[in-house]
Amino acid sequence: MTVRAVRRADLDEVIAIDAAVTGIEKRNYWQRVYRRYGIGSKGEQRWFLVALAGGKVAGFLIGEVRDWEFGSPPCGWVFAIDVDPHARQAGIGTRLLSALSTSLRRTGVRQLRTLLARDNTLILSFFRSQGMMAAPMIPLEMDLLPDSSATEGAQ
Ligand SMILES: CC(C)(COP(=O)(O)OP(=O)(O)OC[C@H]1O[C@@H](n2cnc3c(N)ncnc32)[C@H](O)[C@@H]1OP(=O)(O)O)[C@@H](O)C(=O)NCCC(=O)NCCS
């Protein structure tokens, strides 16, 4: 198995893995991600990595360094990782995360973060197995209800 930067020719396989995992094919989204994290990412501390097994894309990971956001010194984020359901539990996810960690260390970053859904026990088990633990931060969110003043103004 090898891990390398994504190439345009990998995109169809990436899209297929994502669609298999999430049930939604998002071709336009992946084109945008490729433009942002695949090409043109040199020197910008962004990584879009693929793992190849038997000449096929078996998994991918996307991560980047975010500087001074959320009041934090430069920190690595992994915001997508997916392994082909037929290729799991063979160390591919570990290899992808390890490749990102190595790149982050080289840039001087000493911390890696991610966000995950509370009920996604699979990804939680995976990240815990890699040494990640609950962070001293909490995510917050709210529903953005329709703007009543805008609605009134339109009437
Ligand atoms: C999580 C995921 C990336 C793991 O990839 P993988 O290649 O199977 O992982 P690895 O083989 O490197 O496993 C490393 C460790 O993770 C944990 N792990 C992996 N699969 C697991 C499972 N099905 N159940 C429990 N723990 C598991 C184990 O601790 C494992 O170590 P072990 O093999 O010594 O037991 C993969 O299952 C996946 O893509 N899941 C869907 C991810 C997802 O929901 N993505 C959307 C949000 S970003």
Side-chain angles (χ1 to χ4, degrees):
M1 186 214 315
T2 53
V3 173
R4 62 157 169 76
V6 71
R7 296 175 188 158
R8 183 172 286 283
D10 302 323
L11 267 193
D12 281 348
E13 288 172 278
V14 167
I15 291 166
I17 292 172
D18 173 56
V21 172
T22 66
I24 309 168
E25 191 182 280
K26 320 172 190 86
R27 192 157 285 276
N28 292 342
Y29 165 77
W30 283 108
Q31 296 287 352
R32 282 202 307 277
V33 171
Y34 177 70
R35 282 197 294 276
R36 185 147 190 237
Y37 292 89
I39 47 175
S41 64
K42 283 195 178 64
E44 294 193 38
Q45 303 186 341
R46 292 177 183 159
W47 292 271
F48 185 165
L49 305 174
V50 290
L52 296 157
K56 288 184 59 178
V57 176
F60 62 86
L61 173 150
I62 306 169
E64 68 181 334
V65 175
R66 305 301 297 250
D67 293 323
W68 305 111
E69 289 166 8
F70 313 112
S72 159
C75 165
W77 281 86
V78 52
F79 64 85
I81 182 165
D82 270 328
V83 171
D84 182 337
H86 303 292
R88 290 185 185 169
Q89 292 186 276
I92 293 175
T94 300
R95 284 282 300 276
L96 284 163
L97 199 71
S98 161
L100 176 69
S101 303
T102 300
S103 299
L104 288 169
R105 276 190 214 97
R106 281 196 196 122
T107 71
V109 164
R110 292 286 174 267
Q111 220 156 22
L112 179 60
R113 293 193 179 126
T114 193
L115 270 180
L116 52 104
R118 216 175 266 270
D119 58 357
N120 193 338
T121 52
L122 170 56
I123 198 101
L124 178 61
S125 298
F126 169 72
F127 280 126
R128 289 297 304 268
S129 80
Q130 306 299 304
M132 293 188 92
M133 292 184 289
M137 346 176 84
I138 51 171
L140 297 177
E141 69 175 22
M142 67 178 182
D143 292 331
L144 293 175
L145 301 171
D147 186 342
S148 57
S149 60
T151 313
E152 282 163 20
Q155 283 171 354

